[in-house]
Amino acid sequence: MTAMVKAEGVHKSFGAVEVLKGIDLEVKQGEVFCLIGPSGSGKSTFLRCINHLEKINAGRLYVDGELVGYRQKGDKLYELKDSEVALKRRDIGMVFQRFNLFPHMTAVENVMEAPVQVKGMSRAQARERARGLLERVGLADKAGNYPSQLSGGQQQRVAIARALAMDPKLMLFDEPTSALDPELVGDVLDVMRDLAESGMTMVVVTHEMGFAREVGDSLVFMDNGVVVESGNPRDVLTDPQHDRTKAFLSKVL
C-alpha cells in the first residue's frame, strides 16, 4: 500500500534556526497519525510542510506518491509553479488552531466557497453539499449563522466541514482544540473520531492524549526538530522508552 505521506530526511530552517533536523516518517493510507511534543518542537512546521505552506530546505516529502512542491528530473529538483502547488493542495484539507472562517459569510457560505471558486461547482450543488457536511458535524441548525454568532467549538466544526467540502484524500489538523474552552473540546473530537471511522487519512498535531490513545493508529513524539520516539499510541503513552518522552508525558498525562 502506498504511503499517503512519506518524509525522508526533511530539514527546515528559518534563518539560522533549524526547526526540522532530518524527519523520517510514514503515514499509511486510512491511518490516524498523531504528532505530540512540547511547543517549538517542530510539529506544526512539519504539518505546514506537508501541504507546502512552508518549503523544506532538504530531504524529500511525498503525498500519495508525489513529491510535494517539486518535480524531479534526473538528480535535480525543480520547484513547481504556484498554480501547480495550489492544484495539489486541493487534495489536502487543513484545519488550523484558529478557525480562519470568513467573518462576513454564514456557516453554509464558508463551507460552499471553495468548491464554487476552486472546483467550479454550481452554487446550488455546493449549498446542498455544504448543508450535508454541516449536518455531519452536528451543525445543521447553524447553517445561516455568522462566525461571530457561533462558539469556538462550533466555528472549529464549521472549519472541518469546510476542509471536507473539497473531498480531500488527506486531512491535517494543527492542534484543532487548543484554542477552545475545555467543555467545547469533546464535540470537535467527536467529529474527528467520526472522520477516522470513515477511513480518512489524518495527521493530527495534538495535546489531547486521550484522543491519541483511543483513535490514533500511530504516534510520534517530537522534540527539538527530531523524532524521538514513535510507535503504537497505547504503547508509547503507557510505556515510553526514552527519558525525554517520559519527562514530557509526566507533565501532560
Side-chain angles (χ1 to χ4, degrees), residues 47-59:
L47 205 65
R48 291 170 68 84
C49 289
I50 294 176
N51 67 356
H52 208 57
L53 287 174
E54 298 291 353
K55 296 175 185 177
I56 65 176
N57 299 114

Side-chain angles (χ1 to χ4, degrees), residues 51-52 69-70 80-90:
N51 67 356
H52 208 57
Y70 299 90
L80 296 178
K81 295 192 196 90
D82 288 348
S83 58
E84 295 172 296
V85 171
L87 202 60
K88 295 195 175 189
R89 204 179 275 146
R90 286 163 48 159

Side-chain angles (χ1 to χ4, degrees), residues 57-180:
N57 299 114
R60 297 276 193 282
L61 194 50
Y62 300 89
V63 170
D64 205 14
E66 292 191 8
L67 269 176
V68 173
Y70 299 90
R71 78 162 60 82
Q72 187 162 352
K73 270 193 181 164
D75 296 338
K76 276 207 159 145
L77 285 185
Y78 296 92
E79 198 163 340
L80 296 178
K81 295 192 196 90
D82 288 348
S83 58
E84 295 172 296
V85 171
L87 202 60
K88 295 195 175 189
R89 204 179 275 146
R90 286 163 48 159
D91 293 331
I92 303 174
M94 184 148 184
V95 177
F96 300 88
Q97 205 167 344
R98 300 272 165 209
F99 327 116
N100 296 357
L101 297 176
F102 296 116
H104 62 289
M105 292 183 181
T106 61
V108 77
E109 288 167 346
N110 264 284
V111 177
M112 58 189 276
E113 179 71 1
V116 170
Q117 298 298 338
V118 182
K119 286 193 163 175
M121 196 182 275
S122 76
R123 291 193 73 78
Q125 195 185 353
R127 187 177 295 274
E128 190 180 332
R129 182 161 157 64
R131 286 186 180 282
L133 287 167
L134 287 173
E135 188 174 345
R136 183 174 177 182
V137 299
L139 292 173
D141 59 333
K142 302 289 184 191
N145 288 40
Y146 289 91
S148 60
Q149 300 167 311
L150 301 172
S151 71
Q154 289 168 335
Q155 289 186 59
Q156 192 60 294
R157 285 186 279 154
V158 173
I160 293 172
R162 180 178 61 177
L164 290 173
M166 290 295 286
D167 275 328
K169 54 187 171 189
L170 170 65
M171 284 282 282
L172 309 177
F173 291 88
D174 190 4
E175 297 187 18
T177 57
S178 65
L180 302 180

